Amino acid sequence: MPPIDIATVPEREIWPGYHARPIHGDALSLMRVRIEAGAPLPRHQHHHEQATTVLTGRLRLVVNGETVELGPGMTAFIPANMPHEGIALEATDVLDVFTPVREDFR
């Protein structure tokens, strides 16, 4: 597979205030997500394991009832089928990795 410049991937709003650039391999999906300050991430769960790394900004996540705040360079792992929600405490950019592939974001 040739290299992909994620900056050239069209951005789309996946939830209000969450603007993603998804790319997909055979076994995982990667998304650069630009989050507007104050944008809430509704409580949800999915069958994918997820790793969220904050690139810039601050993100508060609640994973299975436990609250964590992430800043630049911090990563949270979210197990498959685990309820989670969050809010961007300021304008935030994250890199999300999911396995298996997020077919719903293709």
Side-chain angles (χ1 to χ4, degrees):
M1 176 182 285
I4 299 167
D5 179 354
I6 202 161
T8 66
V9 174
E11 188 177 84
R12 64 184 188 174
E13 194 169 40
I14 56 173
W15 282 292
Y18 286 73
H19 308 275
R21 296 174 188 269
I23 56 177
H24 310 282
D26 293 331
L28 63 84
S29 293
L30 181 143
M31 293 195 314
R32 176 87 184 250
V33 185
R34 179 177 56 84
I35 310 169
E36 298 172 18
L41 178 68
R43 182 179 167 90
H44 67 286
Q45 64 190 63
H46 39 73
H47 71 273
H48 310 85
E49 182 178 8
Q50 178 178 349
T52 296
T53 300
V54 172
L55 303 173
T56 63
R58 297 201 60 77
L59 181 66
R60 179 180 296 138
L61 287 177
V62 180
V63 180
N64 199 31
E66 182 179 336
T67 301
V68 296
E69 287 192 15
L70 303 175
M74 297 178 74
T75 299
F77 286 90
I78 303 168
N81 301 307
M82 183 68 62
H84 55 286
E85 60 190 295
I87 189 166
L89 302 174
E90 58 190 67
T92 300
D93 285 311
V94 303
L95 187 65
D96 280 334
V97 178
F98 300 91
T99 187
V101 170
R102 289 291 304 249
E103 295 294 342
D104 54 335
F105 292 136
R106 267 203 204 270

